[in-house]
Amino acid sequence: MNSPVRLGIVGLGNMGNSHAQQILQGKVPRMDLGAVCDTNPEMLKRCANTPGFASHQEMLASGKIDAVLVATPHYDHTTIGINAIAAGIHTLIEKPLSVHKADCQKLIAAYEKRSRKDLVFAEMFNQRTDPRYRKLRDLLQSGELGEIRRVNWIITDWYRTEAYYSSGGWRATWAGEGGGVLMNQCPHQLDLMQWMFGLPKKVRAHCQFGKWHDIEVEDACTAYLEYANGATGVFITTTGEAPGTNRLEVATDRGRVVVEGDGLQWTRNAVPTSEHLKTSKNGFGTPERWEVKIPTSGWGGQHNEVLQNFADAILDGKALIGPAVDGINGVELGNAMLMSTLWDRTVELPLDAAQVSAEYSKLIAKSRHKKQQTAAASSSDFANSTKGLAK
Amino acid sequence: MNSPVRLGIVGLGNMGNSHAQQILQGKVPRMDLGAVCDTNPEMLKRCANTPGFASHQEMLASGKIDAVLVATPHYDHTTIGINAIAAGIHTLIEKPLSVHKADCQKLIAAYEKRSRKDLVFAEMFNQRTDPRYRKLRDLLQSGELGEIRRVNWIITDWYRTEAYYSSGGWRATWAGEGGGVLMNQCPHQLDLMQWMFGLPKKVRAHCQFGKWHDIEVEDACTAYLEYANGATGVFITTTGEAPGTNRLEVATDRGRVVVEGDGLQWTRNAVPTSEHLKTSKNGFGTPERWEVKIPTSGWGGQHNEVLQNFADAILDGKALIGPAVDGINGVELGNAMLMSTLWDRTVELPLDAAQVSAEYSKLIAKSRHKKQQTAAASSSDFANSTKGLAK
């Protein structure tokens, strides 16, 4: 295996070019920029000293790269990812893995059929590097917090202006981008939700389409979730609110943890709620509570940490921060929110992937954006996915 | 008109007796305790020096009182309230006004048909005296905050133990109490919601029955709301969580107000969101924001302030803090949450009162509590409705 890993990037829009520049500046140990690819020649000028390709197939076959990062519009993640895996190139996909569950399954099936068993298949889940969510997940998994009773994530600080949505013809269309705030901004939170709490069994969501902006896709969503253990959840997001909120609250048997700003604030029950509730002789009293401030430092290594981890996985077999096969879960959760809205009812997970795919076909058929234009407009205006970190 | 006002109290349980003692201690200017009434003779001993009655009709006709406070189990609010109005006695009803919309309509119809036009008809909306909610309502009504875009109330600090629910046979039964956390603990918040934000047009709620306790009624509810102007809301409550949360967040065109603990925290947009969203040339920027801490002092005069206001309304014609005719709104909102759950669909307001009443009849028919026992067990264990104030 070559060291450093020679990475090719497909799609030199905001996100792809941002990754390219970080690598060119030496910010990612043991990773070089081997080649770049964009269907728009103007974009290739952003990395003028790196071999450039108009076709991702040519780049994959060029011998210039060991690994590829796919940072194209969402629908293309599936086809390009499958081609990369088939070519035996280590593959890192930007979020979301794909637009819908069936496309995720296609990608994962390609990976499962790979001829090269050591192939690394990762997703850019950079917010998994945030020490607050890592700590919360650790606390949950260790049993320290006890069973989850209720979760509530208000993630409404994804504010975008009308100028944002009019900046690219593919943007915020069913045919071009495949969705709105759930598809572009929220894949991080949808992944973190499933990563920390698992997938719910039931989802009842209320997406609103073009509520605040002149777009055909959802720019607001409120979802109610029910988990297998009986816990409930609420997930609220929008791109139409300022200043917006990013506040995650988790009520567990051992109290309540709030993640908003720095660190974690845990109001800890000295006695588990379930025990106190059943054994207390007092109708009104509550368990003794302790205020526990759990410090965390910074927001994690984010994109560069995922890139470095990708290199470490390739070179040393290190465990991935974000295995791409996990990516189907957050996609399914977002799909469930959309389907619940379209079907005007509670949906149960797991979803029928073919049924979801059929719904997308209907949405695409009536989309104001024509799919064939996607490639040309593709990577010129990709969203800056570092937004949404805590301010 | 007699001054001081001579008040009779029906129901000397926790709440009724608490009011009685405040009046006996002279805490309510221009109000005396004229008589008390309870079907349980033991309860009457709590006010041994005050004329006592077993029958509310006898107390109403006794000539010893000018006004009455109804602090009985919920179903009796309707019949006793109607009798009081018919007797020309000023009437103050504990929350909720009645269990369901049709009963509220009966009470209000009795008031509208009153022979004595100066009759005062009030409800114990003590949390309307909380300066935080008054300030928020003033800010909304003055236009200072601009149009509402989203509201979120997590009111899960109504923790109750199993001992609480087993303390009275009528408690937390369809036949005895008429509901759970929405009927006993949340009438304050349901009223404040409609008082500050108006009633929504649509409600999709998910009540959970006996989720945390061995009871037949709801002890948890998550509700999604849609308002006429397109604003959305979420209301989350439970008696099964410790420490629980009491956090109200309102996103408006001028930013975001959070009520949690002392005062109001307003993150103010220097430019309205709607204007910035449409005119900004920048896709990602947000309006300039200012942090505005709006101080408030204390939690208001609560029950005693409502009692005093009731006396002032009787003696001086002062405007009521909580006109009882408003009480139907919070009841309808709570009814909508229950009906949405039972019907497993989104319900539109206004509700069909007869349809709701029919649903209650079905619930009562299968209730584990037998209605005829209600009177005897009635007032011995009434909930302490001062709970739920900010800690």
Side-chain angles (χ1 to χ4, degrees):
Chain A
M1 182 62 223
N2 289 303
S3 179
V5 170
R6 301 168 305 158
L7 185 76
I9 296 179
V10 192
L12 280 184
N14 288 349
M15 208 64 244
N17 184 52
S18 166
H19 297 319
Q21 298 306 325
Q22 292 292 304
I23 296 165
L24 288 171
Q25 290 165 31
K27 300 282 178 64
V28 185
R30 301 200 294 174
M31 182 172 279
D32 281 353
L33 191 64
V36 290
C37 168
D38 203 294
T39 52
N40 180 348
E42 284 301 308
M43 289 293 126
L44 291 176
K45 293 179 184 169
R46 293 175 157 189
C47 300
N49 298 321
T50 306
F53 294 87
S55 150
H56 72 273
Q57 290 97 332
E58 283 177 29
M59 184 174 75
L60 292 171
S62 67
K64 293 183 183 302
I65 62 171
D66 311 303
V68 69
L69 167 60
V70 182
T72 62
H74 308 144
Y75 284 108
D76 299 332
H77 291 187
T78 312
T79 45
I80 296 172
I82 289 170
N83 290 343
I85 292 165
I89 301 290
H90 302 291
T91 303
L92 173 61
I93 311 265
E94 262 291 347
K95 54 84 192 168
L97 186 58
S98 293
V99 168
H100 55 68
K101 184 177 180 179
D103 274 1
C104 291
Q105 289 176 330
K106 284 181 198 166
L107 255 175
I108 292 169
Y111 173 67
E112 287 172 348
K113 288 186 298 188
R114 70 194 178 280
S115 49
R116 186 178 165 185
K117 287 300 159 197
D118 69 340
L119 195 81
V120 175
F121 185 35
E123 186 169 343
M124 182 57 83
F125 284 135
N126 49 288
Q127 292 213 20
R128 287 194 184 187
T129 69
D130 188 316
R132 299 172 302 165
Y133 304 125
R134 284 184 169 174
K135 177 62 74 178
L136 177 54
R137 184 170 183 261
D138 286 349
L139 289 171
L140 287 165
Q141 296 204 331
S142 70
E144 182 82 27
L145 297 179
E147 206 170 7
I148 297 173
R149 295 167 90 90
R150 183 176 63 77
V151 304
N152 184 279
W153 203 335
I154 306 175
I155 172 72
T156 57
D157 66 344
W158 288 117
Y159 180 69
R160 296 290 184 270
T161 63
E162 201 67 60
Y164 167 83
Y165 285 113
S166 55
S167 69
W170 71 292
R171 192 182 287 296
T173 61
W174 295 114
E177 198 167 14
V181 63
L182 293 174
M183 190 56 61
N184 185 307
Q185 284 79 27
C186 283
H188 295 298
Q189 284 78 34
L190 294 172
D191 173 63
L192 292 172
M193 287 281 283
Q194 72 84 24
W195 189 56
M196 293 186 287
F197 316 129
L199 278 178
K201 299 298 288 179
K202 294 182 180 179
V203 173
R204 180 64 174 101
H206 305 265
C207 295
Q208 295 174 300
F209 305 102
K211 179 184 178 66
W212 304 113
H213 306 87
D214 180 24
I215 57 175
E216 66 189 26
V217 298
E218 83 287 351
D219 56 358
C221 182
T222 304
Y224 168 76
L225 316 171
E226 279 184 17
Y227 294 86
N229 75 338
T232 60
V234 169
F235 184 84
I236 304 169
T237 191
T238 181
T239 54
E241 193 177 303
T245 295
N246 183 355
R247 182 178 184 278
L248 172 63
E249 167 176 297
V250 186
T252 75
D253 205 25
R254 274 290 187 175
R256 184 192 61 174
V257 178
V258 174
V259 184
E260 186 180 19
D262 291 350
L264 282 68
Q265 187 63 41
W266 179 15
T267 305
R268 185 179 188 278
N269 293 338
V271 178
T273 302
S274 57
E275 180 187 329
H276 182 273
L277 188 145
K278 287 190 168 52
T279 60
S280 171
K281 302 276 189 284
N282 182 346
F284 290 94
T286 56
E288 181 182 332
R289 61 187 72 170
W290 307 338
E291 287 300 333
V292 183
K293 177 74 181 178
I294 301 178
T296 56
S297 180
W299 315 113
Q302 294 291 334
H303 298 101
N304 286 358
E305 185 172 339
V306 173
L307 288 171
Q308 183 176 344
N309 169 259
F310 184 48
D312 293 346
I314 293 167
L315 296 171
D316 310 330
K318 191 172 176 185
L320 287 172
I321 291 170
V325 293
D326 284 10
I328 193 171
N329 294 327
V331 170
E332 179 155 18
L333 185 53
N335 286 176
M337 293 178 188
L338 179 62
M339 294 304 123
S340 172
T341 305
L342 296 177
W343 299 335
D344 194 20
R345 63 171 172 82
T346 302
V347 298
E348 300 202 8
L349 273 62
L351 297 171
D352 179 326
Q355 199 179 10
V356 174
S357 179
E359 288 293 342
Y360 270 95
S361 297
K362 285 191 244 173
L363 292 169
I364 290 167
K366 66 176 185 184
S367 175
R368 69 170 85 161
H369 178 70
K370 295 295 164 274
K371 185 76 168 75
Q372 58 271 25
Q373 299 168 7
T374 308
S378 69
S379 47
S380 60
D381 57 354
F382 212 81
N384 182 348
S385 80
T386 59
K387 297 283 173 180
L389 300 177
K391 280 28 169 217
Chain B
M1 182 65 225
N2 289 303
S3 179
V5 170
R6 301 169 305 158
L7 185 77
I9 296 179
V10 191
L12 280 184
N14 288 349
M15 208 65 244
N17 184 50
S18 166
H19 297 318
Q21 298 307 324
Q22 293 292 305
I23 295 165
L24 288 172
Q25 290 165 30
K27 299 282 179 66
V28 184
R30 302 200 294 173
M31 183 173 278
D32 281 352
L33 192 64
V36 289
C37 168
D38 203 295
T39 52
N40 182 348
E42 284 301 308
M43 289 293 127
L44 290 176
K45 294 181 184 167
R46 293 176 158 189
C47 300
N49 298 321
T50 306
F53 294 85
S55 150
H56 72 273
Q57 289 98 330
E58 284 178 27
M59 183 173 77
L60 291 172
S62 68
K64 294 187 183 299
I65 62 170
D66 311 302
V68 68
L69 167 59
V70 182
T72 62
H74 307 146
Y75 285 109
D76 298 332
H77 290 187
T78 312
T79 44
I80 297 173
I82 289 171
N83 290 342
I85 291 167
I89 301 289
H90 301 291
T91 303
L92 173 61
I93 311 267
E94 261 290 348
K95 54 82 192 169
L97 185 59
S98 292
V99 169
H100 55 67
K101 185 177 179 179
D103 275 0
C104 290
Q105 289 176 330
K106 283 181 198 165
L107 255 175
I108 292 170
Y111 172 67
E112 287 172 348
K113 287 186 298 188
R114 70 194 178 279
S115 49
R116 185 177 166 186
K117 287 302 160 194
D118 70 340
L119 196 82
V120 175
F121 186 34
E123 186 168 344
M124 183 57 84
F125 284 135
N126 50 286
Q127 290 212 20
R128 287 194 185 187
T129 69
D130 189 315
R132 299 172 302 163
Y133 304 125
R134 284 183 169 175
K135 176 62 74 178
L136 178 54
R137 183 170 184 263
D138 287 348
L139 289 171
L140 287 166
Q141 295 204 333
S142 71
E144 181 82 27
L145 296 178
E147 205 170 10
I148 297 173
R149 296 167 88 89
R150 185 176 62 78
V151 304
N152 185 278
W153 203 336
I154 307 175
I155 171 72
T156 58
D157 65 345
W158 288 119
Y159 180 70
R160 296 291 184 270
T161 64
E162 201 68 60
Y164 167 84
Y165 285 113
S166 55
S167 68
W170 71 292
R171 192 182 287 295
T173 61
W174 294 116
E177 197 167 16
V181 63
L182 293 174
M183 190 57 60
N184 185 308
Q185 285 78 26
C186 283
H188 294 300
Q189 285 77 34
L190 295 172
D191 173 63
L192 292 172
M193 287 281 281
Q194 71 85 24
W195 188 57
M196 293 187 283
F197 316 129
L199 279 178
K201 299 298 287 180
K202 295 182 180 180
V203 173
R204 180 65 175 101
H206 305 265
C207 295
Q208 294 175 300
F209 305 103
K211 180 184 177 65
W212 303 113
H213 307 87
D214 181 23
I215 57 176
E216 65 189 25
V217 297
E218 83 286 352
D219 56 358
C221 182
T222 303
Y224 168 76
L225 316 171
E226 279 184 16
Y227 294 86
N229 76 340
T232 61
V234 168
F235 185 84
I236 304 168
T237 191
T238 182
T239 53
E241 194 177 301
T245 295
N246 182 356
R247 181 180 185 276
L248 172 62
E249 167 176 298
V250 186
T252 75
D253 205 24
R254 274 292 187 174
R256 184 192 62 174
V257 178
V258 175
V259 183
E260 185 179 19
D262 291 348
L264 282 67
Q265 186 64 41
W266 179 16
T267 305
R268 184 179 189 278
N269 294 337
V271 177
T273 302
S274 56
E275 179 187 329
H276 183 273
L277 187 145
K278 287 189 168 53
T279 59
S280 171
K281 302 277 189 285
N282 183 344
F284 291 95
T286 56
E288 181 182 331
R289 62 187 72 170
W290 307 339
E291 286 301 333
V292 183
K293 177 74 181 178
I294 301 178
T296 56
S297 180
W299 315 114
Q302 294 292 334
H303 298 101
N304 285 0
E305 186 173 340
V306 173
L307 288 171
Q308 183 176 344
N309 169 261
F310 184 48
D312 293 345
I314 293 167
L315 295 172
D316 309 330
K318 191 172 177 185
L320 287 170
I321 291 169
V325 292
D326 284 10
I328 193 171
N329 295 326
V331 170
E332 178 154 20
L333 185 53
N335 285 176
M337 293 179 188
L338 178 62
M339 294 303 124
S340 172
T341 305
L342 296 177
W343 298 336
D344 194 20
R345 62 170 170 83
T346 302
V347 298
E348 300 203 6
L349 273 62
L351 296 171
D352 180 327
Q355 199 179 11
V356 174
S357 178
E359 288 293 342
Y360 270 95
S361 296
K362 284 191 245 173
L363 293 169
I364 289 166
K366 66 176 186 183
S367 176
R368 71 170 83 162
H369 178 70
K370 293 294 164 275
K371 184 78 169 73
Q372 58 271 25
Q373 298 168 10
T374 306
S378 69
S379 48
S380 60
D381 57 353
F382 212 83
N384 181 348
S385 78
T386 60
K387 297 285 173 181
L389 299 179
K391 275 47 170 199

